[in-house]
Amino acid sequence: MKRLHSFILKSFLGPLTFTFFICMFVLLMQFLWRYIDEFVGKGLEWTVIAEFLFYVSATLVPMALPLAILLASIMTFGTMGENYELTAMKAAGISLQRIMKPLTILIILISLGAFYFSNNVMPIASLKTTNLLYDIKKQNPELILKEGIFTNDLPKFSVKVGNINKDNGMMYDLLIYDHRENRGNTNVTVADSGTMVTSADKLTMNLTLYSGNIYKDIKTKNRKKNKNHPSQRIKYKIFKQNISLPGTDLKRGNEDRFKNSYRMLNLGQLVGTEDSLTNKLIKEKESLSKNLITRHYFQKEPKRILKDTLQAHLVTEQTLDADSLFNSMSSPNKQITINSALNKGRKARENISRKNGELEGQIKWIRKFTNEWHRKFTLPFACFIFFFIGAPLGAIIRKGGLGMPVIISVLFFIAYYIISMTAERFSKELVLTPFWGMWLSSIIILPLGIILTYKATTDSSVFNIENYIDFFKKINPLKFLKKKNA
């Protein structure tokens, strides 16, 4: 039996490793295609790109691992079914459950590892990825000049070039706006031709211009009041200037700036942050309630009106209540009271509407932390479920390789992913509770795994098309009508 277990494990680990890296590659290419504009023209070193890809790959494990397990299990059992190895094992008295036993233990270990990865490694990888992507977005791009188009890639300069000689790098009809003084277009340089050469350390740009003019506005104290201010024109044959460049080295920011985001926390941190945010929300609700009671719902009358009303009640010795106080007022005072109450009511409604939007935003933000807490458990559970879908499914269809298993795996995973994303969105929009939002896809897929395992154990021909054709032939309505007429 140990030799059989070793054979089954070797048959599964090969496809699992292969499909896992294939899934990672596909998901990584999709991610790069999404953010390709952030990398083009930044002059990033290969070490920075490799570091970014490493962190991104770690964040893609939750999607790649369940799909790889599903695909590998279908391929493994499909190949064994196609080669009649499953048939030989069953003929020897070994049930499908015993055949799946070593792989079930392996999947349990992988699920536990996935939980550890999701709780301890994923937050760090997400933090590193977010920080590095933010720094890359802020990185200034390399200077790329295009003919007839203003380029703002050079810091504090706007450059337009008419024509560029690609053989010697000479540029013609240059127009340069210098914005280093932050006073608008007050320094303009025009040149018939010129060159721009970057230094070896890429820290300065050596600018050489030929036959042109420099137009400057002279800064004066009363420039805003006096529209007629002096200007300066400098004519030159050769003009040279060194312009400082920011350099191509990536400037790293503080890594703690995103550490409180819900994707960067483990289970304990998520619970602590969620509790603090919930307590803050409760205090804001209590503050809103007190504010409405003291400032809008119960409002003191003006002293003059209140004094006259109390004196009238003291003379008549009536019981003080709201209706009697209001009825004892004169008509002008009643109108003033009604208008005041309406204004207070409108202000209260506006305050409630505005505050309700703020509180709803806070509730949605707290909901993200709750969803992320559940996500730590959905990844290992998805690995477990997909194995019990793929293994019996492969035993039923009895097809190995990358043909039919890939199609079936992708269809199952797309259905699972669509249900998962839709339910999670409903949870974020407060339509579903966090439990149902994060576990609905697993709850729907779980019965399918149980049914397929049962069908594979009983050797049911689920995917035999002839059985379905025979079934529909039995319920042929034309045949039923003929019997009725007879």
Side-chain angles (χ1 to χ4, degrees):
M1 189 62 68
K2 293 182 178 179
R3 187 172 296 179
L4 178 62
H5 291 172
S6 176
F7 168 74
I8 295 173
L9 287 172
K10 289 180 181 179
S11 300
F12 179 76
L13 289 175
L16 178 62
T17 305
F18 173 73
T19 54
F20 176 75
F21 284 106
I22 289 294
C23 294
M24 287 292 294
F25 177 77
V26 173
L27 295 174
L28 190 60
M29 291 300 102
Q30 181 199 16
F31 184 90
L32 288 178
W33 184 259
R34 180 181 177 184
Y35 291 100
I36 190 65
D37 294 337
E38 305 295 340
F39 295 88
V40 175
K42 295 297 181 70
L44 300 174
E45 296 183 359
W46 70 270
T47 55
V48 176
I49 298 176
E51 180 185 0
F52 181 76
L53 294 179
F54 176 76
Y55 292 139
V56 171
S57 300
T59 61
L60 295 175
V61 169
M63 291 185 63
L65 186 58
L67 180 58
I69 291 176
L70 175 63
L71 184 56
S73 57
I74 295 178
M75 291 175 61
T76 301
F77 283 85
T79 302
M80 288 193 294
E82 188 176 12
N83 297 332
Y84 299 101
E85 293 170 344
L86 283 178
T87 305
M89 294 178 194
K90 291 180 180 180
I94 305 174
S95 63
L96 182 63
Q97 284 80 3
R98 293 181 64 186
I99 298 173
M100 294 171 59
K101 183 179 179 180
L103 295 183
T104 303
I105 297 174
L106 176 63
I107 293 300
I108 292 175
L109 295 177
I110 291 177
S111 299
L112 293 176
F115 173 75
Y116 178 84
F117 183 89
S118 179
N119 187 45
N120 297 280
V121 180
M122 272 283 293
I124 299 174
S126 298
L127 180 61
K128 296 285 187 179
T129 302
T130 305
N131 279 312
L132 193 54
L133 182 60
Y134 183 79
D135 293 335
I136 290 173
K137 287 181 178 181
K138 291 181 62 178
Q139 176 76 357
N140 291 322
E142 291 182 336
L143 179 61
I144 302 176
L145 297 176
K146 296 182 180 180
E147 296 180 352
I149 299 175
F150 276 102
T151 301
N152 299 316
D153 295 340
L154 194 63
K156 300 293 184 179
F157 284 88
S158 183
V159 182
K160 181 182 178 181
V161 179
N163 297 306
I164 301 176
N165 190 334
K166 297 181 180 180
D167 296 331
N168 54 17
M170 183 66 69
M171 298 174 290
Y172 301 94
D173 298 330
L174 282 87
L175 179 60
I176 302 173
Y177 288 91
D178 189 347
H179 297 146
R180 285 179 292 182
E181 297 182 0
N182 295 322
R183 294 194 298 122
N185 299 326
T186 58
N187 190 338
V188 184
T189 302
V190 181
D192 292 340
S193 60
T195 58
M196 291 184 182
V197 180
T198 306
S199 61
D201 56 3
K202 296 184 179 180
L203 296 178
T204 57
M205 173 73 73
N206 301 321
L207 177 64
T208 305
L209 303 177
Y210 304 98
S211 302
N213 296 282
I214 300 175
Y215 303 93
K216 289 185 179 181
D217 287 350
I218 305 300
K219 185 178 180 181
T220 58
K221 295 182 179 180
N222 300 324
R223 181 180 175 183
K224 294 183 178 179
K225 297 180 180 179
N226 185 13
K227 296 182 179 180
N228 298 322
H229 50 275
S231 61
Q232 184 181 17
R233 176 191 174 194
I234 302 174
K235 188 176 182 180
Y236 62 85
K237 291 185 178 180
I238 299 176
F239 175 74
K240 295 183 178 182
Q241 186 179 14
N242 294 330
I243 301 173
S244 298
L245 297 176
T248 57
D249 294 336
L250 183 66
K251 297 177 178 60
R252 302 294 183 105
N254 186 9
E255 291 191 353
D256 294 337
R257 55 194 166 190
F258 298 111
K259 68 177 183 179
N260 294 325
S261 180
Y262 58 96
R263 293 188 181 276
M264 321 304 177
L265 306 178
N266 55 29
L267 286 176
Q269 294 169 338
L270 286 170
V271 173
T273 306
E274 183 182 354
D275 290 341
S276 62
L277 292 175
T278 303
N279 293 332
K280 181 181 177 182
L281 179 64
I282 292 173
K283 290 180 180 179
E284 289 195 12
K285 287 183 178 180
E286 293 176 352
S287 176
L288 174 62
S289 177
K290 292 179 180 178
N291 183 38
L292 291 173
I293 291 173
T294 56
R295 298 184 60 183
H296 297 284
Y297 292 161
F298 297 97
Q299 181 71 26
K300 293 181 178 179
E301 294 289 347
K303 293 183 178 180
R304 179 179 57 79
I305 300 176
L306 185 60
K307 183 178 179 180
D308 296 340
T309 305
L310 291 174
Q311 287 178 352
H313 279 276
L314 288 174
V315 171
T316 58
E317 296 182 356
Q318 295 178 357
T319 304
L320 291 175
D321 63 82
D323 293 336
S324 60
L325 286 173
F326 181 77
N327 293 329
S328 63
M329 292 181 182
S330 61
S331 297
N333 289 337
K334 285 183 178 180
Q335 189 64 35
I336 293 173
T337 303
I338 293 173
N339 292 335
S340 177
L342 289 174
N343 290 332
K344 295 296 181 183
R346 293 190 187 98
K347 290 181 180 179
R349 183 179 62 184
E350 293 174 359
N351 192 15
I352 292 173
S353 178
R354 176 180 58 80
K355 199 65 178 178
N356 185 51
E358 295 178 1
L359 295 177
E360 185 177 353
Q362 294 184 21
I363 294 172
K364 290 181 178 180
W365 179 247
I366 296 173
R367 180 62 61 84
K368 291 182 179 180
F369 288 85
T370 310
N371 291 343
E372 192 64 25
W373 186 89
H374 285 280
R375 197 193 309 276
K376 305 294 184 184
F377 299 93
T378 56
L379 169 61
F381 194 69
C383 297
F384 192 76
I385 290 178
F386 277 129
F387 171 73
F388 279 96
I389 290 177
L393 195 60
I396 292 172
I397 62 176
R398 298 178 182 179
K399 290 290 184 181
L402 292 174
M404 182 67 71
V406 171
I407 298 174
I408 296 176
S409 300
V410 170
L411 291 177
F412 270 106
F413 187 77
I414 289 176
Y416 172 84
Y417 187 75
I418 291 174
I419 296 172
S420 177
M421 291 295 102
T422 304
E424 183 178 353
R425 183 177 294 274
F426 283 160
S427 177
K428 290 180 180 179
E429 296 298 328
L430 309 181
V431 178
L432 295 175
T433 61
F435 175 81
W436 287 105
M438 300 304 297
W439 289 94
L440 183 61
S441 55
S442 299
I443 293 174
I444 292 175
I445 296 295
L446 179 60
L448 181 61
I450 297 174
I451 293 172
L452 288 174
T453 304
Y454 172 76
K455 292 293 185 180
T457 304
T458 57
D459 292 328
S460 176
S461 54
V462 179
F463 293 95
N464 192 349
I465 300 178
E466 295 181 357
N467 293 338
Y468 298 101
I469 295 175
D470 295 337
F471 173 76
F472 284 108
K473 284 181 178 180
K474 292 179 181 179
I475 60 172
N476 189 355
L478 297 177
K479 188 176 181 180
F480 176 76
L481 290 175
K482 290 180 179 180
K483 289 183 178 180
K484 186 176 180 180
N485 293 331

